[in-house]
Amino acid sequence: MLIIMNSQASEREIEEVAARVRALGRAAHVARRDDETVIGAVGEGRRLPAEALLRLPGVANVVPLPKPYKLASRDFQHDDSVVMVRGVPVGGRHTAVIAGPCTVEGEAMLWRIARHCRERGAAILRGGAFKPRSSPYSFQGLGAEALAMLRACGDELGMPVCTEVMETRQVEAVARHADLIQVGARNMQNYSLLSEVGKTHKPVLLKRGLSASVKEWLLSAEYVLAEGNPNVILCERGIKTFEESVRYSLDVTSVPVVRRDSHLPILVDPSHAAGRRELVGALALAGIAAGAHGLVVEVHDQPETALCDGPQALLPGDLEGLMGKVQKISEALGRKLFRPAREHCPLNAAGNDRHPQRESR
Ligand code: PEP
Ligand code: MN
């Protein structure tokens, strides 16, 4: 249920309504939208007494939140959320590109590839430290060592960094090093992991599960939001279908569906969907044209020697060509492509902004 406070409601009235909601056995999530404050009363239990809540001082209206996911829904928040990833806006009228190698294979390759990505306009550096591999015999990532490399590289180049967390025991270390914590497709329904990353209050990149519906995906986002962490970015990365010519089928349809039903930013990862370099560009552009707020793309300068996902990695020159087209499509849609400053400027020590901004659609 959503309780809409009138625009003159005092802080005290808002707190009293929230306290009443909690006394009724629900969590109270207070959010501002336009010039009003809303309180999402979420949780299970006996039916809430809507008429009684409506009579409380400062309450303008009480409406149901009909979707199974509540805080992720557009009913809770009409405007687009813009999640700030260490100064990079993701969502709303912004386009941002996250790029980097599949896996951090060592210091030299990370720095080389990061520079290539930054020079071509990528806003955020990605790189796997803990890798979810189909085979236990495949390279599993450099772990904690890679986290430190990513942090140092991102700081020096002025790029926020994104890396995957695979299990709850890694959350503390990943949250300490990363600006954007990735929950991979295979973990989309790892609910204890989602709650744990929710508690960090750091931006979270939530990939869609390999065979998850949009509803299940938004319910997973709800686990993070329900912990009081509003900084969730979704990422469509392709789903399993009967098609065999690609690794996964990029479900471009999910982009407008998510944008209709949720205020959360959504990115597209064409690399893991395509599985082949020559298909990545077309899928990336389709995603942006469908309304995605940006991309996650894998880049390698020596893909033939890559320890993981070489065949799908774009070469630095490919990224350059793609960025130009992404910029044009973004502009046609009234979006602004975020590009890093021309000069390399080390990131300052300031952390992430704790709350997303809002932008009317
Ligand atoms: C990745 O981004 O490195 C990755 C493993 O992606 P996914 O979880 O989408 O397979
Ligand atoms: Mn990969």
Side-chain angles (χ1 to χ4, degrees), residues 102 126 131-132 164 182 184-186 207 237 269 272 298:
C102 175
R126 64 146 287 148
K131 293 303 300 175
E164 178 166 350
Q182 178 170 323
R186 289 153 193 84
K207 293 193 130 190
R237 47 80 72 213
D269 169 354
H272 289 89
E298 290 190 343

Side-chain angles (χ1 to χ4, degrees), residues 47-245:
R47 212 171 68 83
L48 288 171
E51 301 77 34
L53 290 168
L54 196 50
R55 282 197 298 273
L56 293 177
V59 175
N61 205 0
V62 175
V63 294
L65 285 172
K67 298 261 170 36
Y69 45 86
K70 309 292 177 189
L71 308 176
S73 77
R74 279 244 184 239
D75 303 317
F76 178 64
Q77 189 190 296
H78 299 156
D79 293 341
D80 284 347
S81 282
V82 181
V83 174
M84 297 302 291
V85 181
R86 193 102 172 224
V88 176
V90 182
R93 285 185 289 277
H94 306 272
T95 302
V97 173
I98 302 176
C102 175
T103 310
V104 177
E105 300 167 16
E107 203 148 37
M109 71 75 85
L110 177 66
W111 282 71
R112 252 188 1 254
I113 296 171
R115 283 203 172 91
H116 281 306
C117 292
R118 191 189 192 285
E119 276 159 21
R120 283 152 186 89
I124 298 173
L125 175 64
R126 64 146 287 148
F130 301 101
K131 293 303 300 175
R133 304 304 302 275
S134 304
S135 164
Y137 308 119
S138 303
F139 177 59
Q140 305 284 315
L142 293 177
E145 215 186 321
L147 292 179
M149 290 179 196
L150 276 165
R151 184 69 271 154
C153 182
D155 282 347
E156 183 58 31
L157 297 186
M159 292 176 91
V161 296
C162 171
T163 196
E164 178 166 350
V165 64
M166 279 176 50
E167 52 156 310
T168 50
R169 286 177 300 176
Q170 295 161 355
V171 170
E172 194 274 322
V174 172
R176 196 152 29 82
H177 290 88
D179 301 300
L180 178 57
I181 305 173
Q182 178 170 323
V183 174
R186 289 153 193 84
N187 265 318
M188 189 209 82
Q189 285 174 312
N190 182 339
Y191 300 121
S192 42
L193 182 61
L194 295 170
S195 296
E196 227 33 58
V197 296
K199 291 187 185 112
T200 68
H201 293 267
K202 281 226 158 179
V204 175
L205 182 72
L206 178 60
K207 293 193 130 190
R208 181 180 182 183
L210 312 178
S211 51
S213 67
V214 170
K215 186 169 94 180
E216 289 164 334
W217 187 17
L218 290 173
L219 278 166
S220 290
E222 192 79 10
Y223 268 87
V224 180
L225 300 170
E227 293 294 340
N229 183 352
N231 301 303
V232 179
I233 301 167
L234 301 165
C235 178
E236 165 63 52
R237 47 80 72 213
I239 51 175
K240 285 231 187 232
T241 68
F242 47 81
E243 182 50 56
E244 290 171 345
S245 59

